[in-house]
Amino acid sequence: MTLADNSAGLGLRRALMGALQSADAGAIDFLECAPENWIGVGGRLGDAFAKLSSQHPLTCHGLSLSLGGVEPLDDTLLQRLRRFLEQHQVVLYSEHLSYCADDGQLYDLLPIPFTDEAVHHVAARIRRVQDVLGRRIAVENVSYYAAPYQAMAEVDFIAAVLDEADCDLLLDVNNIFVNSINHGYDAVAFLARMPSRRIASYHIAGHYDEAEDLKVDTHGAAVKDDVWQLLAEAYRMHGVRPTLLERDFNFPPLSVLLAEIERIRGLQHAARTPAAALHHG
């Protein structure tokens, strides 16, 4: 099973379970979950998850592999993850290009130094994950607020990891925008240097404006206009791909989230019109 390029999805959160179960067919093209939050869950909640995953294509976005970490990969988790992905016929599995463990879980996504050594280290771990899972994965560009060491630019680091690992990219458009403000670079120029052929899907989300020069990637608010504009630019530059709306807390009524899903679909449709294709060419 594959997702159509012009599909729009929503993150599956427990607070949304009831509303999603009663949503109209076709309101959402796919759902995405963090598998660590659902592996081994049974009872009424497990049954509800199984029903939703049978009604909608499912993608998964991992939280705890710690691809950039130095602790050994968790083989037990990888085996459980493979069974989960196969059981629910997961279309796409992705993880963060970061680390989150060091002698135990740190419960945060921390930045990797942008060095050649880190490229080799992370790429080797991604290849191992792909071998164990028996599938190609995507890695996501992350938001970060402090840079431990940068021997190369972030955009070059991402490209180098993708090439050496031979994996795909989950391009988070909000993270590009947030990082561009916090670290003072041009978001459109950064976006232009992303490798089109490796982009498997996009994420968008809301963020918090702490200050004019400080944005916090919260996933707790509506997507802002600047991010919508950057998503439209991503479609123009790299083509339409499956796009997920992330919302982790401060949940509005489902109808509000579905309106954002429709905005994704509108941008996808506009990017695929003959006039847009002519302009892109």
Side-chain angles (χ1 to χ4, degrees), residues 11 13-16 219-220 247-253 257:
R13 305 294 183 262
R14 294 188 184 190
L16 296 175
H219 300 180
R247 187 67 174 256
D248 290 345
F249 67 101
N250 288 339
F251 294 104
L257 298 178

Side-chain angles (χ1 to χ4, degrees), residues 41-265:
V41 173
R44 185 172 61 182
L45 197 58
D47 290 343
F49 175 83
K51 184 175 182 180
L52 281 172
S53 69
S54 70
Q55 294 172 336
H56 303 275
L58 186 67
T59 64
C60 281
H61 192 42
L63 296 172
S64 53
L65 282 190
S66 198
L67 294 175
V70 296
E71 292 292 308
L73 288 165
D74 187 335
D75 287 326
T76 300
L77 173 60
L78 283 171
Q79 293 298 336
R80 296 181 73 194
L81 180 57
R82 177 167 182 159
R83 290 193 292 271
F84 182 88
L85 299 179
E86 292 172 352
Q87 175 187 353
H88 295 285
Q89 301 180 53
V90 171
V91 182
L92 172 68
Y93 174 71
S94 60
E95 247 288 1
H96 300 83
L97 189 54
S98 64
Y99 77 97
C100 61
D102 184 21
D103 193 26
Q105 284 293 315
L106 301 173
Y107 300 103
D108 206 350
L109 300 173
L110 301 173
I112 305 168
F114 300 153
T115 66
D116 288 329
E117 181 182 10
V119 168
H120 304 322
H121 174 74
V122 176
R125 287 165 72 89
I126 294 171
R127 290 197 303 271
R128 171 89 193 292
V129 168
Q130 292 186 141
D131 287 344
V132 175
L133 296 183
R135 63 166 65 206
R136 191 179 185 88
I137 73 168
V139 295
E140 181 192 54
N141 58 298
V142 298
S143 57
Y144 60 97
Y145 305 93
Y149 185 72
Q150 294 191 355
M152 63 177 73
E154 178 189 357
V155 67
D156 295 320
F157 177 77
I158 293 171
V161 169
L162 295 174
D163 283 343
E164 188 165 326
D166 191 20
C167 65
D168 292 327
L169 173 65
L170 191 164
L171 189 59
D172 192 305
V173 175
N174 184 63
N175 287 351
I176 292 177
F177 178 79
V178 165
N179 288 346
S180 74
I181 300 299
N182 294 344
H183 301 290
Y185 63 70
D186 186 303
V188 174
F190 184 103
L191 181 64
R193 293 192 56 197
M194 291 289 96
S196 297
R197 66 187 181 88
R198 293 197 181 274
I199 299 172
S201 66
Y202 299 105
H203 273 185
I204 58 168
H207 61 265
Y208 176 68
D209 294 322
E210 179 71 30
E212 188 173 330
D213 59 350
L214 177 59
K215 312 301 179 186
V216 183
D217 178 37
T218 61
H219 300 180
V223 179
K224 295 182 183 294
D225 286 342
D226 287 337
V227 178
W228 286 118
Q229 293 171 18
L230 198 60
L231 178 63
E233 193 68 17
Y235 290 158
R236 187 188 71 80
M237 289 180 175
H238 302 296
V240 172
R241 302 282 193 282
T243 303
L244 183 97
L245 173 66
E246 292 185 291
R247 187 67 174 256
D248 290 345
F249 67 101
N250 288 339
F251 294 104
L254 184 62
S255 60
V256 176
L257 298 178
L258 294 182
E260 290 192 290
I261 294 290
E262 286 305 312
R263 190 162 179 180
I264 293 172
R265 288 172 168 163

Side-chain angles (χ1 to χ4, degrees), residues 20-43:
L20 287 171
Q21 287 176 294
S22 58
D24 293 339
I28 299 162
D29 297 321
F30 67 98
L31 294 170
E32 181 182 86
C33 74
E36 294 91 338
N37 292 337
W38 294 98
I39 290 174
V41 173

